Amino acid sequence: MTDPNAIQPSALDQLPDRDPEETAEWQASLDAVAKAAGPHRAAYLMRRTLERAEGTGIALPKLLETDYVNTIPTSAEPAVPGDEAMESRITAWNRWNAAAMVTRGSKHGVGGHIATFASAAWLYETGFNHFFKGKDSGEAAGSGDQLYIQGHASPGIYARAFLDGRLTEEHLDNFRQEAGGNGLPSYPHPRRLPWLWEFPTVSMGLGPLSAIYQARFNRYLTARGIKDVSNSHVWAFLGDGEMDEPESTAALALASREGLDNLTFVINCNLQRLDGPVRANFKIVQELEAQFRGAGWNVVKTLWGTAWDELFQLDTTGALVRRLREVPDAQVQTYQTRDAAYIRQDFFGADPALAEMAKLLSDDKILECFHLSRGGHEARKVYAAYKAAVEFKGAPTVILAQTVKGFTLGEGFASKNANHQMKKLTVDEFKAMRDLLELPIKDSDFVDGVVPYGHPGADSPEVRYLQERRAALGGPAPARRVHPVAPLPAPAEKAFASFDKGSGSQNVATTMAFVRLIKDLVRDKETGKRWVPIVPDEARTFGMESLFPSLGIYSPKGQTYEPVDRDQLMYYKEAKNGQILNEGITEAGSMADFIAASTAYSTHGEAMIPFYIFYSMFGWQRTADQMWQLGDQLGRGFLVGATAGRTTLTGEGLQHADGHSPVIAATNPAALTYDPAFAYEVATIVKDGLRRMYGEAAPGEDPNVFYYLTVYNEPLPQPAKPSGLGVDEGIVKGLYRFNTAESAELSPAANAPRIQLLGSGTAIHWVLQAQKLLAEEWGVAADVWSATSWTELRRDALEADAALLRGEERVPYVRQALQGAEGPVLAVSDYMRQVPDQIAQWVEQDYSSLGADGFGLSDTREAARRHFGVDAQSIVVAALAQLVKRGEVKATAVKEARERYGL
């Protein structure tokens, strides 16, 4: 057994010690202090020594935790500019109206959250009064600061907008009641309230991740010369419980690695999550401090209010600081709800030195400290933390602000485990809150037990002060603004037309066709610089390495090394003004990039055209929550699921075989989902996307959509675009006839049975093989249709159904396209049958489908397709089965075909 007192080997043993005697003297001094004054005194001296070393520039690893005290001592706190008493009155009105709004809405059963804003009120008010730059700020004109508001605090933001005159009582009474058209969404939802909210922050965890990449994208815009947004600051307001979400901390190292000092996290450490303590038996503040310090962030702890100053001055032995470090969070919550006698016994009675200290403290002083005095509830403490954050250079800052959940809402709310689910206060509780906040609201204002809204008047000193402070900072916040910018000019037609002639004898995968198109588009003099290529460390898989030397990979450090492939044509090139965002193996980070780029048109008044290309299996399945966030934030751009389909990625197996992404994508109303078969279809869809999202959208078209394209890695001949009217329209709407048996020169008999074969994506090639087999071996004439978007066909049909219910005559496009087509319809895709079955109910002909249902597997393409029953021979059998039902081919045809093809 190892002796715990024995000197353990040290990493320093392998380094030469030029003066062992001096080293021994330092160690002996430390031993002597520990023996004479105790280990706590020795630790204090060591901490002081480390601080001095850091201050003089000596490179030493930082400690990951500090004592459970404020980072900024009271003596170093700057004075708060402005009128603190006035700001206190403004905060009181906002506290009241936030609680009143939720309570009044509770009679409708719509819910709402009160306790979060109650704890965080000063965190927001201090920022709004002194720090958050608006869109008209002289420092950050058109951009301002970017505010990621904690979702559960939204009532407080609405309350401030009401005080500011941006919302009315009618708005507040329609909180969480949006169907009538004049309501307020539950949380920050830009699509539902696009003039106020910029960033959706619920689901929890997506806000912090997006904030990091927004701050990074701001640097990208500046470095590339698109727009100087170096004076924009990103503020992310988070809950300590929210930090358990893996996305919350997924990109901390990126933020510090790239020195994003334009970013501040403000974590409201009220020590409670939705159902109880965040770390009941531990300390969440200390855990977060270590995590952020370890990731390279600047950490500012704002834990205790000024009432604690006297206690810390009495702590000559360090007993108070030791006790604060050891008391678990759940017990701190208990102190909030217990009397002074309990606190004296449980907290101070744990140490003789603390017991002596407690004798000097009155009960009122103890209750003031443990019930009321938290750093996050004092404007001066919060102001000091914010000022330190914006002035710190070289790394992002996180502020850990301790608060009480439900603060000022009364004993029934404060620190109660259930307060997240508590939606209302009683009239008596409101009256107690009124008295505490010193608001001029009379008992007679409570009519029939309904709590009134409070407002000092549009011309009151409070409102004038609020508006003057916001005017000085650049206008209201939060605020979303779509700048009146001219549509982007359409790229030269030749970039798209070059795909119309096909590839001749050359085999080209649609993934490669898309990359070739992008290479031409980024060369466009007008719009080329606005493309933002995003890839999660798979650029070579998708054939994008040719873009490295021409566009460069963005890095704030440029390229500080000589790349190993420097002598090759397509070498790995990083640059400070690089255009490509190559994020490494992080689909979540890449999606956060995409969201920031796709909404630059509103955030910064600069239209950017992001395309994010990824393994299709690792897109919607892995980051669908962020794609909802993208839709909510009204993002625009191109998501490209490459190596798509269940059977095209040879040998990779179950976890790479995507058979369902279009199903998930179909659930997102903002996603226009396409499964193009040919290169010219890819070009046509991208051209239409650029028109709709960045050019002139047609009447009734929403430009705030994004396009999802599936492209394949299987090299195949790319045919020329069929001639004739309606092809481009069919590609965009989702269906067009690619050929007929006659145009394919298959010479069917005049009275041959006929079937309509619909295929999407790579399945069109198996369908074309089946078309030939049906004609040559079974005397069946098949027409082939390319279904570029099953989802868009369905949406159009649903809209037609809704129009009929309104008394309007409208025929779904899929029915129009197939009108008069002879025979049954057989639909085929490389996805589960649920994808093509989206249109089944609107097809008048007999309808059936084939798809790759079940789990994927590792094998060749041919074997996988035979396994799932979607290869050409399987299509022939399915087609014959349909015709047998109709009595158009002999009954034994199916059995004969199965035997002939070995099925």
Side-chain angles (χ1 to χ4, degrees), residues 340 343-344 348 361-371:
I343 298 170
R344 284 182 185 277
F348 292 97
L361 304 174
S362 67
D363 285 356
D364 287 345
K365 181 65 176 181
I366 289 175
L367 292 179
E368 180 187 13
C369 288
F370 283 85
H371 286 192

Side-chain angles (χ1 to χ4, degrees), residues 673-678 681 685 710 729-736 759-761 785-793:
T673 302
Y674 287 91
D675 187 23
F678 305 123
E681 293 178 353
I685 294 165
T710 53
E729 178 189 24
I731 292 172
V732 172
K733 289 191 172 181
L735 183 68
Y736 69 98
S760 69
W785 300 70
S786 179
T788 53
S789 180
W790 309 101
T791 301
E792 287 306 295
L793 291 173

Side-chain angles (χ1 to χ4, degrees), residues 74-89:
T74 301
S75 60
E77 292 170 358
V80 180
D83 188 334
E84 289 190 56
M86 183 68 71
E87 292 176 18
S88 182
R89 291 202 297 275

Side-chain angles (χ1 to χ4, degrees), residues 507-777:
N507 288 339
V508 177
T510 51
T511 297
M512 184 55 66
F514 176 80
V515 173
R516 289 183 183 178
L517 174 63
I518 295 300
K519 287 178 66 176
D520 290 337
L521 294 175
V522 296
R523 294 192 186 105
D524 185 85
K525 292 182 180 180
E526 296 291 334
T527 60
K529 68 178 182 179
R530 297 193 175 273
W531 284 89
V532 183
I534 303 168
V535 60
D537 200 36
E538 287 280 10
R540 298 182 194 278
T541 300
F542 310 134
M544 289 176 59
E545 66 269 28
S546 60
L547 299 177
F548 288 169
S550 58
L551 301 184
I553 299 167
Y554 170 73
S555 171
K557 289 187 176 293
Q559 194 155 37
T560 60
Y561 60 92
E562 183 177 353
V564 68
D565 53 0
R566 183 63 180 85
D567 57 343
Q568 298 179 16
L569 180 63
M570 293 181 287
Y571 66 95
Y572 196 84
K573 177 186 175 183
E574 297 188 79
K576 292 182 178 179
N577 63 346
Q579 193 163 350
I580 300 170
L581 292 173
N582 191 352
E583 291 302 359
I585 305 175
T586 168
E587 287 83 4
S590 299
M591 267 306 301
D593 264 337
F594 187 90
I595 292 169
S598 71
T599 53
Y601 73 92
S602 59
T603 308
H604 296 300
E606 296 288 346
M608 304 300 288
I609 313 172
F611 78 87
Y612 165 35
I613 188 167
F614 50 87
Y615 262 108
S616 65
M617 185 66 162
F618 307 136
W620 286 87
Q621 175 171 294
R622 181 165 289 192
T623 58
D625 199 9
Q626 287 177 285
M627 288 152 178
W628 273 100
Q629 180 189 16
L630 167 65
D632 192 359
Q633 201 166 318
L634 291 81
R636 306 169 183 174
F638 297 95
L639 295 176
V640 184
T643 61
R646 179 143 279 166
T647 69
T648 65
L649 195 58
T650 56
E652 289 285 3
L654 186 153
Q655 290 189 337
H656 287 67
D658 178 17
H660 56 281
S661 284
V663 177
I664 307 175
T667 65
N668 191 312
L672 277 61
T673 302
Y674 287 91
D675 187 23
F678 305 123
Y680 67 79
E681 293 178 353
V682 172
T684 301
I685 294 165
V686 171
K687 179 182 177 182
D688 182 71
L690 291 172
R691 174 200 62 79
R692 177 169 176 172
M693 296 184 291
Y694 300 97
E696 296 285 355
E701 279 187 327
D702 182 4
N704 299 315
V705 295
F706 58 94
Y707 282 60
Y708 173 55
L709 283 72
T710 53
V711 292
Y712 298 83
N713 71 326
E714 186 172 8
L716 292 164
Q718 296 297 325
K721 181 190 289 188
S723 58
L725 298 175
V727 173
D728 283 0
E729 178 189 24
I731 292 172
V732 172
K733 289 191 172 181
L735 183 68
Y736 69 98
R737 181 152 46 195
F738 176 73
N739 71 16
T740 63
E742 290 76 12
S743 65
E745 300 181 352
L746 296 175
S747 304
N751 61 348
R754 188 170 289 269
I755 189 169
Q756 308 299 316
L757 302 179
L758 280 57
S760 69
T762 196
I764 200 81
H765 298 281
W766 327 326
V767 169
L768 289 169
Q769 295 171 31
Q771 179 191 40
K772 186 176 181 181
L773 289 173
L774 283 166
E776 294 177 351
E777 300 185 14

Side-chain angles (χ1 to χ4, degrees), residues 343-400:
I343 298 170
R344 284 182 185 277
Q345 178 180 349
D346 190 86
F347 182 83
F348 292 97
D351 186 293
L354 290 179
E356 290 300 312
M357 179 190 296
K359 294 177 181 178
L360 304 175
L361 304 174
S362 67
D363 285 356
D364 287 345
K365 181 65 176 181
I366 289 175
L367 292 179
E368 180 187 13
C369 288
F370 283 85
H371 286 192
L372 303 175
S373 191
R374 299 289 189 276
H377 296 321
E378 296 188 13
R380 181 170 176 173
K381 302 290 184 184
V382 176
Y383 180 87
Y386 285 8
K387 190 171 188 293
V390 296
E391 292 178 354
F392 190 87
K393 299 304 177 186
T397 294
V398 59
I399 296 169
L400 303 175

